[in-house]
Amino acid sequence: MDTDLLKTFLEVSRTRHFGKAAENLYLTRSAVSFRIKQLEGILGVELFERLRNNIQPTPAGERMLGHAEAVLNAWERAKQDIILNQQHSTQLTISAGHNIWDAYLQPYLQPLHLGLDGVSLRTEVLSESVMTRQLIERSLDIAITFDPPKLDEIELVKLAQIRLFLVSKQQGLNIEQASNQAYIKVDWGTAFNITHAQAFTMLPVPILHTSSARMALDFLLNNGGCAFLPEVLIEEYIANGTLHYVDNAGVITRNVYGAYWAENERLANVEQAIAILSAGFANAVE
């Protein structure tokens, strides 16, 4: 399998346009079309419905997306592992769910870099389902998530507890008054959504629903309204009076977990990374 075919397939899937995919890949449109036909010939199925100005993946094309991403990730990992082995070095792959980076992981990149001697890091932001699949495929060393996978042979470690506050640009609001504000809903995982559905029915239909806390913060600062955001993102704005806590809204807590295979060949490095990631939480508990 030519990996260029898979890269072209993913770019067409992303842009839904042969011409735009060709521009992004620095190819001619005919070259992109030829590669897609090659891939379809290898698989024996059509991957796209070719309607005028409306390129849509077929059901087979939708199923192919995950496989293409997995193959390219595995190939990239293999190339890096070979190079690193020649240099007598180790690579550790750490993936985080949406919003984990902004709410927790950002301050730990430098400690990981300094604390893992001879280890190169590969970090990605992935969905829960993709992280679970990569753990199963053993192409991922550590998954950092709000909703850890329940799999045999997977070790789970509680790394941190994130506190989410309902905040607004308007001072002195209570939860009832906030129901008249524009609401920005951030996706903080399954447990948050359950609590939100039970305890915050008074909040209006979101004007923006996003998986990015930073995008929500930027929208809130520019347009007003209210949103549940983590301490680490709002403390500066609370301190300077740009944002304010919504009274009697309470706080929603979310636990951050690290998940890894107990029989990982890089277990010593994995456990060292887990220790670095959990150190801040352990000190706070003490």
Side-chain angles (χ1 to χ4, degrees):
M1 173 65 69
D2 186 346
T3 56
D4 286 339
L5 302 185
L6 297 179
K7 292 176 184 176
T8 304
F9 164 73
L10 290 174
E11 190 62 27
V12 173
S13 298
R14 189 182 69 82
T15 60
R16 304 295 172 93
H17 196 282
F18 281 88
K20 291 178 182 177
E23 290 177 11
N24 294 341
L25 295 170
Y26 302 100
L27 297 170
T28 63
R29 182 168 182 153
S30 59
V32 168
S33 180
F34 180 70
R35 285 185 179 182
I36 295 300
K37 287 179 180 177
Q38 275 187 295
L39 185 57
E40 290 176 329
I42 293 170
L43 296 172
V45 294
E46 287 192 356
L47 297 172
F48 295 102
E49 294 181 5
R50 295 165 173 80
L51 305 175
R52 184 174 179 82
N53 295 324
N54 185 20
I55 305 298
Q56 296 292 331
T58 63
E62 293 285 358
R63 290 193 296 273
M64 184 61 187
L65 283 171
H67 296 298
E69 290 172 350
V71 169
L72 289 175
N73 284 336
W75 176 240
E76 187 66 24
R77 177 74 182 264
K79 289 193 297 182
Q80 291 181 356
D81 278 349
I82 290 169
I83 294 170
L84 289 168
N85 284 337
Q86 290 175 332
Q87 298 172 347
H88 305 289
S89 185
T90 300
Q91 177 178 260
L92 210 61
T93 302
I94 302 174
S95 292
H98 297 295
N99 286 320
I100 296 282
W101 187 268
D102 292 337
Y104 161 68
L105 196 53
Q106 177 72 44
Y108 287 94
L109 182 59
Q110 189 66 6
L112 284 169
H113 168 63
L114 296 176
L116 296 171
D117 188 39
V119 175
S120 68
L121 296 173
R122 180 184 178 91
T123 62
E124 295 177 313
V125 176
L126 301 173
S127 67
E128 307 292 338
S129 60
V130 173
M131 281 195 292
T132 299
R133 186 177 73 239
Q134 290 192 2
L135 278 173
I136 293 171
E137 295 169 348
R138 310 214 178 188
S139 60
L140 174 61
D141 294 308
I142 303 174
I144 304 176
T145 172
F146 290 123
D147 301 304
K150 296 177 174 59
L151 298 171
D152 293 338
E153 300 180 36
I154 291 291
E155 297 287 334
L156 295 179
V157 178
K158 185 176 176 180
L159 299 175
Q161 187 177 79
I162 304 300
R163 299 204 300 168
L164 304 171
F165 293 92
L166 187 63
V167 294
S168 171
K169 285 188 71 175
Q170 188 171 333
Q171 188 174 10
L173 287 182
N174 58 37
I175 188 65
E176 289 75 23
Q177 293 167 328
S179 64
N180 296 318
Q181 295 273 307
Y183 179 52
I184 304 143
K185 188 178 181 198
V186 185
D187 185 1
W188 292 106
T190 303
F192 171 84
N193 290 332
I194 292 172
T195 300
H196 189 278
Q198 293 173 341
F200 295 94
T201 55
M202 76 292 291
L203 293 175
V205 175
I207 190 172
L208 173 66
H209 195 154
T210 177
S211 62
S212 169
R214 286 198 177 275
M215 186 179 294
L217 174 62
D218 184 65
F219 190 91
L220 175 59
L221 293 173
N222 283 292
N223 300 285
C226 57
F228 278 99
L229 293 171
E231 286 177 289
V232 67
L233 283 187
I234 62 174
E235 55 188 359
E236 172 189 348
Y237 300 98
I238 293 292
N240 64 28
T242 304
L243 292 178
H244 307 274
Y245 295 115
V246 173
D247 294 336
N248 71 321
V251 58
I252 298 178
T253 59
R254 293 254 45 203
N255 293 327
V256 177
Y257 296 92
Y260 61 94
W261 283 104
E263 298 182 1
N264 192 318
E265 62 183 10
R266 293 174 291 276
L267 184 59
N269 296 126
V270 168
E271 290 179 337
Q272 190 178 3
I274 289 292
I276 293 170
L277 291 170
S278 59
F281 179 62
N283 293 335
V285 171
E286 292 174 2

